[in-house]
Amino acid sequence: MKWLAFASRNFKEMTRDLLTLIFGIALPVVLIVMFSLISSNIGAMTNPSFMISNLAPGIAVFSMSFVTLFLGLLVAGDRSSAFLARILVSPMKGIDYILGYSLPLVPLALVQALACIVTAVCFGLKLSANLLFGLVALIPVSLLYISMGLLFGSVCSDKQVGGLASILINLAAWTSGAWFPVSVVGGVYETICNLLPFGHAVSLVQGVMQGSPLNFGHLIWVLGYAAALSALAIFFFKKKTRP
Amino acid sequence: MNAIEAKGLTKQFKERTAVDSLNVSVKKGELFALLGQNGAGKSTTIRMLCGLLAPTAGDAYICGHSVTKEPLLAKQVTNVSPQETAVAAKLSVQENLELIARLYGDDKKTAREKAEKMMDAFHLTDRRKDRAKNLSGGWQRRLSIAMALITEPEVLFLDEPTLGLDVRARRDLWKHIEELKGRITVVLTTHYLEEAAALSDRLMIMDKGRCQAEGTLAEILEKTGKASLEEAFLSLTEEVYE
């Protein structure tokens, strides 16, 4: 269980950082509160994305962009320090590194999502078993964002990760449909959005939380991207750490 | 069986040969110093022996295990204290020690017991709950070496262990290193020649990726006809200006 010891270290390194707690938990909660208040003050819903049943899963998925940032910073930080050299000298296998880096982010992502849902319930989201299923649907979504974090951390320096994660956060915001339906723009833009995984992630969780049957199409897009990005991350991690 | 056996160990980075067909043997329990100027190939050699760098040619055996063919077996009996302080910054002293023990396969209870012993041996008990990033350079170095020893390695690589330490901390560390002699095979790289002369059983002087001299201090002095290690070192690593 070497990976468990490594995962425990990684979890502690991330959660002992105030930035992680602020961005991970507080920011999504603030976003839900803010958009719920805006939505209730303007009365008529001009944007269906701001309906609490769409907003809560949308923000839960969007907030996972920060999971990418945290993991990217951790992996890149380790790579730039002598600490990783020490770890690489240990008899850990490749799978221990993957699990050790990835799994601590799953509970972190779920706590983040739970905070979103609880806040949304306070602002009118109907309490039902579907919310619990929605949390389960967020697990593959968290794997998608974890795979991106692994890739960013494996390829970029710790300074570059911040910039790249900002681009990702924007890309996820603009193409996921969490803030506005991408069909409103339509055309090539909508096609590009559909080729990217972010919209599929939001639609997957929104559907489950609203009681629709699991959409395997969206799930395959999300898991397919997660698998491909993880494979790339493993390739680059190996290449960069054992030249 | 030797603790370390390198045969034709070579590392090439594009056009530059960092380590060139190195053959070296280190006996069990020996303290072996690896000396050389910056860029001589010391760190590259250590990185290949530790499994951090794949050799371009040749192989090395750690307690009989090939670093290229049986890397996990070789790693199980090896540990390292890298040149830069290699500690997990946000973990406490005790957590750092337990982490390394567990990465080498110890269960939680054994890791805790070993951590207690190490903290005791390195006078870290009072600082056990301090986060590593809050320790001074000297204490971090001390923790780094304790982390290397907690796994009870058969072969220990100490890369510039006293770099940046004050005189007292350096002497303290020398004492710890001397206590390892005979029990653990130690490969030490250092720029402090008096340190190498005082601590090591045998030395190797590298230059341009090649071994220039190897043996006890007396043997090296005899071979070069010099009165001190410093003079011998300078003569073996002489710069040629064209």
Side-chain angles (χ1 to χ4, degrees), chain A residues 176-196:
Chain A
S176 66
W179 305 108
F180 59 91
V182 292
S183 56
V184 169
V185 183
V188 178
Y189 179 79
E190 190 179 359
T191 308
I192 293 170
C193 292
N194 288 331
L195 288 172
L196 291 170

Side-chain angles (χ1 to χ4, degrees), chain B residues 176-190:
Chain B
H176 282 297
I177 295 170
E178 274 189 316
E179 283 167 9
L180 303 175
K181 278 169 97 166
R183 290 192 293 125
I184 294 174
T185 307
V186 180
V187 177
L188 170 80
T189 71
T190 179

